[in-house]
Amino acid sequence: MKTPFLLLITVLFLFSFSDTHAQTEAWIAPENAKEIENIVPEKKRDASAKKGSKVFKARCVFCHGKAAKGDGLAGARLNPKPADLTSANVQSQTDGEIFWKITNGRGSMPQWKAIVSEEERWDLVNFIRSVNGE
C-alpha cells in the first residue's frame, strides 16, 4: 500500500514544477500523430482494453479519476485539469493522437514512453476507447 501513496506524493511533487504556460493552450498532437496506426488487431482490442484498465488504475487514476473524468485526487490541484477521457473532445481524437500524447506528455502529464511499454500504451488507448460518459 506504500507504493501508491509514494507514487501520488511523487506525482504531486513533479506537478509543482510543471510548465504552466504550455498547459494553458489547447493540447493538439502534431499532424503526423493522426497517421499512427493502432498496433492491436481490432479483434483483440477488448482484451487489450482490459489490460489497459489495470495500467490505468496503477498509473493514471490519481489524476484522471476512477471514472476517467479528469477528477482524480492529484488532478484537483492541477491547472488545467486533467482531461475527461470520456469527453467528445478526447474520443474524437485518433488512436494515434491519443497514443502520441500518452507517449510524449506535456507539462504535468508525464512522458510515459520511458515508464510504460509500447504495448501498455496501446492498451491504455484501447481502454480510453472503452470508457464512456455514462
Side-chain angles (χ1 to χ4, degrees):
M1 198 62 168
K2 289 182 181 180
T3 301
F5 178 73
L6 291 175
L7 181 60
L8 177 60
I9 296 300
T10 302
V11 168
L12 289 173
F13 178 76
L14 292 173
F15 291 153
S16 67
F17 294 104
S18 64
D19 179 10
T20 56
H21 173 70
Q23 294 178 22
T24 60
E25 300 170 9
W27 191 11
I28 301 171
E31 198 61 33
N32 63 343
K34 293 178 182 179
E35 307 304 319
I36 301 170
E37 295 286 330
N38 192 325
I39 65 168
V40 179
E42 202 161 327
K43 64 184 177 185
K44 295 185 177 183
R45 290 189 186 167
D46 286 343
S48 172
K50 287 179 184 174
K51 291 191 294 184
S53 172
K54 292 176 184 175
V55 176
F56 181 85
K57 288 175 185 172
R59 304 278 188 181
C60 311
V61 73
F62 300 112
C63 294
H64 289 282
K66 289 180 182 179
K69 294 192 171 283
D71 59 355
L73 181 62
R77 297 189 55 128
L78 299 177
N79 185 16
K81 301 296 180 214
D84 174 351
L85 303 177
T86 69
S87 71
N89 179 47
V90 172
Q91 294 294 323
S92 67
Q93 295 174 42
T94 67
D95 288 355
E97 289 171 298
I98 295 170
F99 180 81
W100 186 91
K101 289 179 179 183
I102 293 168
T103 299
N104 295 289
R106 178 185 83 152
S108 57
M109 170 71 177
Q111 288 186 5
W112 290 106
K113 67 182 167 191
I115 302 166
V116 177
S117 72
E118 180 180 9
E119 179 181 345
E120 289 173 316
R121 285 180 273 141
W122 281 114
D123 292 340
L124 282 169
V125 170
N126 294 319
F127 168 72
I128 291 167
R129 290 286 182 228
S130 75
V131 296
N132 58 46
E134 297 174 4

